[in-house]
Amino acid sequence: MSEILLSAKNLTKRFGGLAAVNDVSVDLQRNHIHAVIGPNGAGKSTLTNLLSGDLPPTSGSVQLVGQDVTGWNPEKISRQGLGRSYQKTNIFLPFTVWDNVRLAAQSRQPHAARWFRRANDFVAINDRATRAIELSGLENRKNAMAGAISHGEQRQLEIAMTLATGPQVLLLDEPLAGMGVAEAERMVALLLSLKKDHGILLVEHDMDAVFTLADKLTVMVDGKVIASGTPAQIRADADVQAAYLGEH
Ligand SMILES: Nc1ncnc2c1ncn2[C@@H]1O[C@H](COP(=O)(O)OP(=O)(O)OP(=O)(O)O)[C@@H](O)[C@H]1O
């Protein structure tokens, strides 16, 4: 049986009287892509924030790579193996692609702010950055300024920066947002290649991409899971048809 990398059980997040995430359980296996879909306001971003530690849950628990990480802060959760891409906000536009990825790799080292660093650390950081750039398909853009590359390449850069932290789980929030057809096809191919070494939890509105990529889907509406299963099971689910998917 495949290894479970991430397992969230009965997660609830309340904002005052609103249960933005209501008793949600999801799990993620290595070498799988698990997509979380649902209409606007379903609670997908809130769920993502609970998994990354950006928000504490009101109740429920999260296991990551064999460790209960419930209530841990984002940095500690990152060190335990979860890489979250933050849409563009982490990219330094006046820096090169390489510098951005190297900084992300460096942020993962213990004592990142220390002025004194051993030579071995530098080698390890550079190796991780080089590998992340290779994996994300940005080798030929590594000396370009981040502000001068295309929108699609910037989204690849976000993924490279996430990979540079050495995650086992990738938590990706709308990696295809704002992309044209060719860029989206490239990103779909990239995500499929990354599944070889990672588990990927994907929040995405592009249903064609989701149904191409996902091994498993969880459908949320109004904070609750209304269905979970394979793409074929989700397509055939009457509740999902009625609530969300329509013609898909
Ligand atoms: N910090 C907050 N305080 C109060 N309410 C919030 C907060 N964050 C989210 N909500 C509410 O929780 C519900 C779920 O929002 P969330 O952003 O998680 O949905 P979503 O599925 O990610 O939507 P979208 O697809 O539009 O990004 C919404 O009703 C939203 O208004």
Side-chain angles (χ1 to χ4, degrees), residues 11-45:
L11 280 180
T12 293
K13 181 66 185 180
R14 292 187 178 281
F15 296 113
L18 173 79
V21 168
N22 193 348
D23 198 25
V24 169
S25 297
V26 285
D27 56 35
L28 175 68
Q29 296 182 16
R30 191 184 293 284
N31 311 125
H32 266 207
I33 297 181
H34 187 151
V36 178
I37 63 171
N40 291 336
K44 307 179 297 293
S45 298

Side-chain angles (χ1 to χ4, degrees), residues 188-246:
V188 165
L190 170 58
L191 297 184
L192 282 174
S193 75
L194 293 178
K195 158 175 134 158
K196 286 203 277 280
D197 295 315
H198 304 87
I200 302 177
L201 197 97
L202 176 71
V203 174
E204 181 54 58
H205 282 287
D206 179 332
M207 286 303 118
D208 289 335
V210 162
F211 277 89
T212 303
L213 286 167
D215 298 287
K216 189 171 175 189
L217 288 102
T218 290
V219 186
M220 289 179 70
V221 174
D222 291 337
K224 294 200 189 91
V225 173
I226 63 160
S228 191
T230 64
Q233 288 168 332
I234 295 300
R235 273 187 209 278
D237 189 292
D239 289 343
V240 177
Q241 292 287 336
Y244 179 49
L245 276 179

Side-chain angles (χ1 to χ4, degrees), residues 5-244:
L5 292 177
L6 178 74
S7 174
K9 292 220 187 320
N10 309 107
L11 280 180
T12 293
K13 181 66 185 180
R14 292 187 178 281
F15 296 113
L18 173 79
V21 168
N22 193 348
D23 198 25
V24 169
S25 297
V26 285
D27 56 35
L28 175 68
Q29 296 182 16
R30 191 184 293 284
N31 311 125
H32 266 207
I33 297 181
H34 187 151
V36 178
I37 63 171
N40 291 336
K44 307 179 297 293
S45 298
T46 305
L47 175 65
T48 306
N49 286 328
L50 296 178
L51 298 176
S52 65
D54 286 281
L55 282 175
T58 306
S59 57
S61 66
V62 182
Q63 291 261 334
L64 176 66
V65 196
Q67 178 74 45
D68 187 336
V69 300
T70 315
W72 286 20
N73 66 38
E75 196 190 326
K76 215 172 154 201
I77 289 181
S78 161
R79 288 187 197 288
Q80 179 61 19
L82 184 133
R84 177 179 186 180
S85 70
Y86 291 88
Q87 298 191 6
K88 286 195 182 171
T89 47
N90 277 1
I91 298 180
F92 293 103
L93 297 176
F95 286 24
T96 64
V97 165
W98 166 257
D99 286 340
N100 271 281
V101 177
R102 201 184 172 288
L103 280 170
Q106 189 169 328
S107 73
R108 182 60 193 275
Q109 289 298 107
H111 313 297
R114 211 168 55 182
W115 62 272
F116 174 77
R117 202 177 280 288
R118 296 200 346 249
N120 285 348
D121 289 349
F122 280 103
V123 173
I125 290 166
N126 282 348
D127 284 353
R128 230 179 15 249
T130 301
R131 176 101 180 105
I133 284 184
E134 278 168 15
L135 282 174
S136 60
L138 281 172
E139 258 173 317
N140 62 347
R141 303 299 271 149
K142 113 179 166 180
N143 297 318
M145 302 306 278
I149 60 177
S150 71
H151 171 74
E153 288 168 334
Q154 287 182 345
R155 307 307 310 264
Q156 283 170 257
L157 175 53
E158 288 157 25
I159 290 189
M161 291 166 70
T162 309
L163 289 170
T165 65
Q168 303 201 47
V169 170
L170 289 167
L171 188 53
L172 304 179
D173 197 356
E174 298 195 43
L176 282 91
M179 285 193 169
V181 176
E183 285 182 330
E185 280 174 3
R186 260 213 319 275
M187 181 57 78
V188 165
L190 170 58
L191 297 184
L192 282 174
S193 75
L194 293 178
K195 158 175 134 158
K196 286 203 277 280
D197 295 315
H198 304 87
I200 302 177
L201 197 97
L202 176 71
V203 174
E204 181 54 58
H205 282 287
D206 179 332
M207 286 303 118
D208 289 335
V210 162
F211 277 89
T212 303
L213 286 167
D215 298 287
K216 189 171 175 189
L217 288 102
T218 290
V219 186
M220 289 179 70
V221 174
D222 291 337
K224 294 200 189 91
V225 173
I226 63 160
S228 191
T230 64
Q233 288 168 332
I234 295 300
R235 273 187 209 278
D237 189 292
D239 289 343
V240 177
Q241 292 287 336
Y244 179 49

